Amino acid sequence: MPNNDVPGEDKKALKKRFIAGAVCPRCSEMDRIVNYWRGGKNYRECVSCGFVDEIRLQSASAELQTRVNKTWTKAGREEAVKLIFPGKENKK
């Protein structure tokens, strides 16, 4: 079935790939969704009911600030800490 929307599309076979575990939003059948590119756009299609949808991928969002990736600045002055060991006399 040639596609007249995109020039040169009928010369190449359309490569469709099944998406494991995907559920169709219309008929709720599992493992019936195929993914393919056509005209520079990504589509998903259900082979059971014929549902077709363009997949619009979102760009990566900014990473949330956590204590691990946060840059720390030195605020204030540094102070020495005295260690106290139990069972020994603490001498000054």
Side-chain angles (χ1 to χ4, degrees), residues 51-63:
F51 172 79
V52 177
D53 186 26
E54 179 185 346
I55 300 173
R56 295 180 192 100
L57 301 176
Q58 297 176 354
S59 62
S61 61
E63 185 176 2

Side-chain angles (χ1 to χ4, degrees), residues 33-49:
I33 300 290
V34 292
N35 185 15
Y36 59 91
W37 283 89
R38 176 180 287 160
K41 295 181 181 178
N42 195 8
Y43 292 95
R44 65 179 173 170
E45 178 181 351
C46 178
V47 295
S48 293
C49 70

Side-chain angles (χ1 to χ4, degrees), residues 4 9 14 18 21 25-26 51 58 65-66 69-70 74 78 84 86:
N4 295 332
E9 188 71 32
L14 197 59
F18 277 94
R26 184 186 294 164
F51 172 79
Q58 297 176 354
Q65 288 294 323
T66 63
N69 65 3
K70 186 177 179 181
K74 286 188 176 182
E78 294 181 9
I84 301 174

